[in-house]
Amino acid sequence: MIWGIIGAMPSEIALLQTQMSNVKKETISGLTYQSGVIRGKEVVLCCSEIGKVNAAMCAQTLALRYNVGCMINTGVAGCTCDDLTVLDLVLSRDLVFHDYDWKLQEKYHPHTSSFPGDPGLIALAQKALAGMSEHIGYKLGRIATGDVFVEDEGLRRSIIERTHPDCVEMEGAAIALVAYSNQIPCLVIRCMSDNANGDAGMSFDTFEKIAADHSAKLLLSMLELAE
């Protein structure tokens, strides 16, 4: 099986790149896809750049050009729940859009307003977390996606009231929609870089790299454990 791995920013794939061997690069529609081997598994790694459209374009290329057997989106997010803190993780129980009309989404393709994380990938991630030497707090929860960096308390409250997420970010649900449409197992891994409030920008600048590496370390452990 080929693992399709997407990070939106260079920091989110940097650690993974250092672990790749037999690397071959291909540029499609302006994005660079790196094929190679990590921890004995075939992977295609891509930095999609930020936002839903870029993420969906990247995911569809992984599905059609590379015929990946699963998709993992790794990276950082803003926390919107009370039982996690900065540098904790969220594994995608499900994903939704916070800036799209759910009724329209249910009426038209793909006729659903939420996208579940794959049970097998969730179980593998939980097993990997249990075996890691570094303890990282985590939650199986809801991730809400929209084309905005949330750093306003009013917007944060509005998103929580409408979608009840555990964290917010800018790509996950778009990738999950593409995976769902192509019947490809998908999991989104997010490490909290901030609390999606008025201090989000400063917190993000401080913790982005550490949070990105936390997500990547979990993915490396998953690759090592996978059969």
Side-chain angles (χ1 to χ4, degrees), residues 10-223:
S11 63
E12 294 173 331
I13 66 167
L15 179 61
L16 298 169
Q17 285 178 296
T18 68
Q19 303 297 305
M20 288 187 73
S21 60
N22 303 325
V23 180
K24 296 180 180 178
K25 296 183 179 181
E26 183 177 23
T27 299
I28 302 172
S29 302
L31 297 178
T32 300
Y33 297 81
Q34 302 176 72
S35 303
V37 177
I38 300 179
R39 303 289 167 94
K41 308 303 186 299
E42 289 186 75
V43 304
V44 180
L45 177 65
C46 183
C47 178
S48 68
E49 305 294 345
I50 65 170
K52 296 185 300 186
V53 175
N54 283 331
M57 181 172 69
C58 181
Q60 189 65 21
T61 299
L62 289 177
L64 296 182
R65 172 70 177 87
Y66 295 99
N67 194 31
V68 297
C70 70
M71 289 190 198
I72 307 289
N73 178 208
T74 178
V76 304
C79 185
T80 53
C81 64
D82 295 329
D83 50 350
L84 293 176
T85 188
V86 170
L87 301 184
D88 286 341
L89 288 165
V90 173
L91 307 177
S92 60
R93 182 193 70 232
D94 69 344
L95 299 105
V96 299
F97 293 105
H98 67 71
D99 61 352
Y100 189 61
D101 187 330
W102 286 15
K103 291 182 179 178
L104 282 177
Q105 196 171 4
E106 290 169 356
K107 182 178 180 180
Y108 298 101
H109 178 81
H111 305 288
T112 180
S113 56
S114 67
F115 306 94
D118 178 71
L121 292 173
I122 290 171
L124 180 62
Q126 291 173 324
K127 182 178 179 182
L129 281 163
M132 291 175 68
S133 58
E134 180 182 2
H135 173 74
I136 302 175
Y138 83 93
K139 181 178 184 179
L140 182 61
R142 168 168 287 182
I143 299 174
T145 299
D147 280 321
V148 60
F149 179 77
V150 180
E151 54 183 336
D152 174 79
E153 187 61 40
L155 177 58
R156 183 181 191 271
R157 286 196 302 269
S158 174
I159 293 170
I160 291 171
E161 289 170 3
R162 289 182 285 110
T163 64
H164 311 291
D166 294 290
C167 65
V168 291
E169 42 81 274
M170 299 177 65
E171 297 83 25
I175 293 167
L177 184 157
V178 172
Y180 179 89
S181 299
N182 287 277
Q183 299 182 322
I184 297 172
C186 179
L187 179 66
V188 176
I189 302 168
R190 284 286 184 262
C191 187
M192 305 301 99
S193 60
D194 57 82
N195 288 308
N197 57 16
D199 297 324
M202 182 172 61
S203 179
F204 176 85
D205 290 342
T206 302
F207 294 108
E208 173 204 352
K209 181 64 169 63
I210 301 171
D213 283 352
H214 272 15
S215 292
K217 287 176 183 177
L218 170 57
L219 180 50
L220 288 172
S221 294
M222 291 172 64
L223 289 166

